[in-house]
Amino acid sequence: ESGPEPGFPQNAMPMNQHPEWSYGAVLYEMNVRQLTPEGTLRAAAARLEFLRDLGVDAVWLMPIYPIGEKNRKGPLGSSYSIRDYCAVNPELGTMDDFDNLLAEVHFRGMKLVLDLVVNHTSDEHPWFVEARKSRLNPFYDFYHWWPIENGEPPRRKSFFDEEGNAWRYNFATMSYYLHYFSRKQPDLKWE
């Protein structure tokens, strides 16, 4: 039997495998804001019995993290403009409310999958707030930048930008940052 891939925690599954329960599972994509009139994690927990009775095996929870204030009315419902990966959006509830939702999901024999946005953050995320201050800032390399001394950046189309351009100029660093979605959602650098 082979172990986990190099660099993976001991209990992690190799990326080319899926957990046994996921084959043939019925997933319900839950947008907490739309599921109930209250739009809270607590109200969502109260709907779990109904979902289980429908035959749902797993709840796929759309992002519940705090989002950028400036992007509340932005594209994609703005729940994808993450300001903090380690907290719950106070409009949806508290971490205790999330823990309760998770316990209620498991009590009913279902699974919970979190939608984790990892291709960009909010421009209000502490990483980007720091990154846009200086090229010498350690967070600068967390994002895709094009220095002005390299001339105009290569054309990248953004369907969510008013000008259709996926590059936005930042005066403090004298460079452009990449944002395939909203200019309020700078792209993280995977390299």
Side-chain angles (χ1 to χ4, degrees):
E1 182 175 292
S2 64
E5 293 179 16
F8 271 53
Q10 287 300 318
N11 63 348
M13 187 173 299
M15 291 175 57
N16 61 347
Q17 293 181 3
H18 301 283
E20 190 65 36
W21 67 263
S22 69
Y23 292 96
V26 174
L27 271 74
Y28 177 85
E29 183 182 28
M30 181 187 287
N31 182 336
V32 173
R33 294 176 192 271
Q34 295 175 346
L35 180 66
T36 66
E38 301 86 358
T40 64
L41 292 170
R42 192 173 294 185
R47 300 280 303 193
L48 292 173
E49 196 72 24
F50 171 73
L51 296 177
R52 191 204 57 181
D53 289 347
L54 285 176
V56 170
D57 299 304
V59 175
W60 172 6
L61 193 58
M62 292 181 71
I64 59 167
Y65 316 99
I67 58 176
E69 293 295 322
K70 298 174 191 167
N71 204 19
R72 292 204 177 278
K73 303 279 189 228
L76 302 177
S78 72
S79 61
Y80 291 91
S81 187
I82 309 303
R83 191 169 30 96
D84 183 353
Y85 288 103
C86 300
V88 170
N89 185 335
E91 293 176 9
L92 303 178
T94 65
M95 191 59 81
D96 287 339
D97 294 333
F98 171 77
D99 290 342
N100 179 63
L101 175 66
L102 179 61
E104 292 292 329
V105 165
H106 288 166
F107 176 74
R108 286 166 178 78
M110 298 187 298
K111 305 288 186 188
L112 184 68
V113 178
L114 290 175
D115 192 335
L116 179 63
V117 181
V118 293
N119 61 305
H120 59 256
T121 67
S122 166
D123 66 341
E124 297 176 40
H125 192 289
W127 298 343
F128 192 70
V129 169
E130 289 299 313
R132 70 183 333 166
K133 289 179 181 178
S134 163
R135 290 188 194 182
L136 300 176
N137 192 294
F139 291 102
Y140 182 82
D141 283 336
F142 278 36
Y143 297 87
H144 286 279
W145 295 92
W146 186 271
I148 195 169
E149 60 269 16
N150 290 351
E152 287 287 318
R155 179 77 176 145
R156 297 284 187 266
K157 182 85 171 142
S158 170
F159 294 101
F160 302 99
D161 185 80
E162 307 82 42
E163 300 166 9
N165 189 356
W167 292 101
R168 177 67 42 194
Y169 187 69
N170 182 61
F171 289 98
T173 60
M174 295 177 52
S175 55
Y176 298 84
Y177 67 87
L178 185 65
H179 64 89
Y180 279 113
F181 292 97
S182 164
R183 70 176 66 173
K184 300 291 185 188
Q185 297 171 326
D187 280 50
L188 287 162
K189 182 175 161 186
W190 283 85
E191 297 84 0

